[in-house]
Amino acid sequence: KLLQTKKIPFIRWSNVENRKGNERVLLIDAMGQLPICYTHSRLVILAGSFEPHLFGHNILEPCLYNVPVLFGPYMESQKELVSRVLEAKAGLQTSYKTIAEAIKTFFNNPDTMCLATQALIEQGRGATAKTLAILKTNLYINGLS
C-alpha cells in the first residue's frame, strides 16, 4: 500500500515474469526466495519489521551477502541482532516516516555501509569452533570428558 500511495513503481516476485522494466522495487512475496534476491541487491528493506504483528526478520541474513539492511521498529524478538547491526553500522533502524531519509543516507555513501556488513560478518566467523572449544574445556574441567 505504501508503494502504491507513494506512486513508486514496483513488481511482486510472484509476478516478476510480467515486469515492464520501469519497476524500482522488487517486493518479495514468496517464502525461500530471499537468498536469491539478496545476491542481486544493493540495499535490503525488511518490511516485516515495520508492522508489530510480524515480529521482524533476520537482519543478519542480508549482511551475509554483503548487503546493508534497513529495518523498522518492531524487532522485539531480535534485540541482540539489532544491537550488533547498529553497532557495526551495517544497517539502519528506521520508521515509515524516516525511511526515505535512511535510503538517501545509504545511497550518499553506500561503500561505508557495505564495508561495515563485511566487517560484521567476519567478526562472527569461527563462532562454532569457539563454542566447541569452550564446551570441551568446561566438560574436561568438570570431569565429563
Side-chain angles (χ1 to χ4, degrees):
K1 288 182 183 180
L2 181 63
L3 293 169
Q4 290 170 334
T5 301
K6 299 286 186 181
K7 295 183 173 51
I8 297 172
F10 73 96
I11 190 156
R12 296 176 187 277
W13 178 263
S14 60
N15 197 29
V16 76
E17 67 277 356
N18 297 321
R19 67 181 170 265
K20 298 172 188 155
N22 67 330
E23 297 86 358
R24 293 177 45 208
V25 173
L26 175 59
L27 184 64
I28 310 305
D29 61 351
M31 297 296 283
Q33 302 302 308
L34 291 178
I36 294 166
C37 297
Y38 293 155
T39 63
H40 298 287
S41 300
R42 293 179 60 201
L43 176 67
V44 168
I45 302 170
L46 289 176
S49 61
F50 288 88
E51 296 294 328
H53 64 283
L54 297 176
F55 306 109
H57 289 289
N58 181 340
I59 57 175
L60 282 183
E61 192 174 21
C63 296
L64 289 170
Y65 297 89
N66 193 34
V67 181
V69 60
L70 299 182
F71 55 96
Y74 301 104
M75 295 293 295
E76 290 82 10
S77 65
Q78 298 185 39
K79 291 179 182 179
E80 181 183 348
L81 297 183
V82 169
S83 177
R84 291 182 63 200
V85 167
L86 293 177
E87 186 178 303
K89 296 182 175 37
L92 297 171
Q93 190 167 25
T94 187
S95 67
Y96 283 133
K97 289 183 179 180
T98 60
I99 195 166
E101 191 60 38
I103 293 169
K104 285 179 192 174
T105 297
F106 168 75
F107 281 109
N108 283 336
N109 193 357
D111 293 343
T112 300
M113 212 179 283
C114 289
L115 290 172
T117 63
Q118 287 176 337
L120 174 63
I121 297 306
E122 285 304 315
Q123 179 184 28
R125 294 208 189 280
T128 302
K130 291 175 190 173
T131 301
L132 289 174
I134 291 168
L135 287 172
K136 186 176 180 179
T137 300
N138 285 325
L139 291 174
Y140 179 75
I141 291 171
N142 294 317
L144 300 173
S145 61

